[in-house]
């Protein structure tokens, strides 16, 4: 299951993956949702801070967790808690982002996620273009 606030991920991957889209959540709030699920026994399939984009640089985040909960993993709980702590170390940048910059950040998050899943990012983008 993909937890995301990225509309491009929703458009390109919905139907192929279970996508929980949270339009109004911040990057940190997506991490907290993932943390809560990991604490309830869901498996974390992607690292919450994959890539070299700092949390204060982009508004978008996608994290993959299992759809079903199993056994609590202290190691995974530590990974997600550490990711939230790392996010909190960066002060938020108060700036207005243009639509083009927002779309660029959406594409970066989508591409990182596609790579982690072994998903053909170009095919997903092609599907998104056809939906418009």
């Amino acid at each position: 299951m993909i937890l995301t606030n990225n509309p491009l991920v929703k458009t390109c991957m919905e139907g192929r993956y279970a996508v929980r889209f949270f339009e109004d959540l911040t990057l940190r709030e997506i991490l907290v949702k993932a943390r809560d699920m990991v604490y309830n026994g869901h498996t974390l399939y992607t690292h919450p801070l994959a890539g070299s984009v700092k949390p204060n640089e982009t508004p978008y985040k996608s994290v993959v967790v299992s759809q079903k909960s199993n056994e609590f993993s202290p190691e995974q709980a530590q990974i997600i808690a550490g990711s939230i702590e790392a996010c909190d170390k960066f002060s938020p940048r108060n700036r207005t982002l243009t639509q083009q910059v927002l779309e660029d950040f959406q594409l970066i998050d989508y591409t990182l996620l596609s790579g982690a899943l072994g998903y053909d990012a170009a095919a997903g983008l092609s599907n998104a273009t056809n939906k418009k």
Side-chain angles (χ1 to χ4, degrees):
M1 173 185 334
I2 301 169
L3 307 177
T4 188
N5 64 349
N6 183 343
L8 184 62
V9 168
K10 178 183 185 290
T11 299
C12 293
M13 295 187 159
E14 199 169 51
R16 179 163 173 105
Y17 295 96
V19 177
R20 291 187 60 193
F21 178 63
F22 303 96
E23 182 175 15
D24 297 327
L25 294 189
T26 65
L27 180 147
R28 186 184 190 286
E29 291 168 329
I30 292 292
L31 295 178
V32 169
K33 286 259 184 219
R35 180 204 60 199
D36 292 349
M37 292 184 77
V38 167
Y39 284 6
N40 284 319
H42 291 264
T43 302
L44 188 61
Y45 287 128
T46 58
H47 195 285
L49 296 180
S52 60
V53 182
K54 293 183 178 104
N56 68 337
E57 294 291 326
T58 179
Y60 300 107
K61 178 52 61 185
S62 300
V63 179
V64 181
V65 297
S66 64
Q67 289 191 54
K68 296 181 181 180
S69 64
N70 294 303
E71 190 173 310
F72 174 78
S73 166
E75 295 83 15
Q76 291 191 0
Q78 185 176 16
I79 290 170
I80 190 69
S83 297
I84 293 169
E85 287 176 19
C87 180
D88 289 343
K89 288 180 185 177
F90 293 97
S91 57
R93 295 181 68 178
N94 295 324
R95 61 190 172 158
T96 302
L97 300 175
T98 66
Q99 185 60 35
Q100 183 59 53
V101 170
L102 289 171
E103 289 173 7
D104 288 347
F105 281 130
Q106 289 172 24
L107 182 60
I108 291 167
D109 177 63
Y110 167 73
T111 304
L112 287 168
L113 178 64
S114 295
L117 295 173
Y119 181 71
D120 184 349
L125 289 172
S126 173
N127 292 341
T129 303
N130 293 334
K131 289 180 182 178
K132 288 183 179 179

